[in-house]
Amino acid sequence: MVPRPAGGGVFCEFREAGQPPFEVWVGITADGFTAECDCAAAEELCAHAVALTATALDDGFTWSSAAAPPSALAVDPRVAELAEVASGIPARRLALLVAEWAATDRVLENRLRAQAGQLAPFSAAELADLRRTIDNLAHEATSGSRWDLHDVEKAGRAIVEEIEVLAQRPPTPEALLLVERAARAWDGLAGYLNDAWETYEEEPAEIGGALRAVHVQLCEQVRPDPDELAARLVEIVEAAEVDSCLDEPNDYLAVLGHQRVEALRHRR
């Protein structure tokens, strides 16, 4: 059992011999202490939720007073419809279908391996390689005399893919800093597309929003010192020539708190 922060509470996956894995979440919501578990136990507070709570307390987990359980998260209606379809497919056939798609999609492959517990945190060498990849993508997008705006968009989407693959690994402070480096790289490229807003109206926000979503996710998982995080966000936002993709203070409320978020908003 490896507890992980999620939605202001704590989450983990249980695996028992001969049984499919299932998930459990506990946290403090507006209704008080809340637990959700996929097991078949009839009682509201099952043994898995008790074990997870005890482990989180022993680890000194910081509980949010306004957590959001998995059941409270909005699910796209299309996703809900397809999930219902998938639930009617035999397990082996569904597994093969997912595997076929994952073989052509790096992000999905890593999500699949992460769910199976096969991924370890990036090593220092792997992080260095990824750092070089991101730097090269950003540099090559506007190098030479024959680049065009499509090259910038393509580089942005490639950076997002690398970061989304990174996000499937167990979270570390080093990974968080690398996402911030990627955000800076995109901030330096996005202006080219912003200047051509008639053609590239949605792409800058789409790419930047994807990078910010990963950054927020890792912040919630890594739980960096909020003052240090706020200082880094200020530095990144002020270094951007136009708008930074991380300049959405409200997205960081769960990790920064109201006071720091208000301070960031007033710096605009």
Side-chain angles (χ1 to χ4, degrees):
M1 180 174 63
V2 181
R4 301 194 299 272
V10 65
F11 153 94
C12 79
E13 184 178 277
F14 277 88
R15 294 176 178 271
E16 297 178 354
Q19 300 294 326
F22 54 89
E23 299 175 348
V24 58
W25 180 94
V26 294
I28 301 172
T29 70
D31 297 325
F33 183 80
T34 302
E36 293 186 355
C37 186
D38 293 336
C39 74
E43 63 270 19
E44 181 176 347
L45 189 62
C46 66
H48 308 106
V50 172
L52 176 58
T53 302
T55 301
L57 290 172
D58 288 343
D59 291 346
F61 178 77
T62 302
W63 303 88
S64 168
S65 60
S71 63
L73 300 179
V75 178
D76 184 277
R78 181 67 171 160
V79 173
E81 176 191 354
L82 292 174
E84 183 66 22
V85 172
S87 66
I89 300 176
R92 182 176 180 277
R93 191 180 306 171
L94 180 60
L96 286 173
L97 183 63
V98 173
E100 288 172 1
W101 189 257
T104 66
D105 185 320
R106 287 180 62 220
V107 177
L108 179 57
E109 178 187 354
N110 280 268
R111 290 183 67 181
L112 183 62
R113 293 187 182 281
Q115 291 294 323
Q118 293 184 355
L119 299 182
F122 270 105
S123 65
E126 289 175 319
L127 286 172
D129 287 342
L130 183 51
R131 189 179 303 113
R132 283 190 291 270
T133 296
I134 291 170
D135 290 347
N136 288 338
L137 285 168
H139 173 72
E140 292 170 3
T142 57
S143 64
S145 59
R146 304 187 65 178
W147 67 273
D148 59 26
L149 294 178
H150 176 68
D151 295 322
V152 175
E153 179 194 359
K154 184 178 178 181
R157 296 193 184 281
I159 290 172
V160 167
E161 179 176 304
E162 295 296 338
I163 291 305
E164 288 182 340
V165 168
L166 168 71
Q168 304 312 315
R169 297 291 191 100
T172 64
E174 293 76 18
L176 179 61
L177 293 177
L178 185 51
V179 175
E180 292 173 9
R181 187 185 187 97
R184 289 177 184 266
W186 176 244
D187 287 346
L189 294 174
Y192 294 104
L193 300 189
N194 288 329
D195 289 342
W197 59 268
E198 301 94 338
T199 305
Y200 294 93
E201 181 178 1
E202 300 178 355
E203 287 80 0
E206 180 185 343
I207 293 170
L211 291 172
R212 185 173 64 256
V214 173
H215 187 248
V216 171
Q217 172 191 327
L218 284 182
C219 285
E220 293 179 347
Q221 293 172 330
V222 173
R223 309 298 293 187
D225 179 272
D227 290 325
E228 293 179 3
L229 174 61
R232 294 205 306 271
L233 286 172
V234 168
E235 182 183 354
I236 291 169
V237 169
E238 293 184 346
E241 293 185 6
V242 188
D243 295 324
S244 172
C245 63
L246 301 187
D247 192 11
E248 290 292 341
N250 287 341
D251 287 0
Y252 295 90
L253 182 60
V255 288
L256 292 180
H258 289 280
Q259 186 174 356
R260 295 181 188 85
V261 165
E262 285 300 312
L264 287 175
R265 291 177 60 193
H266 291 148
R267 292 185 66 91
R268 294 183 175 186

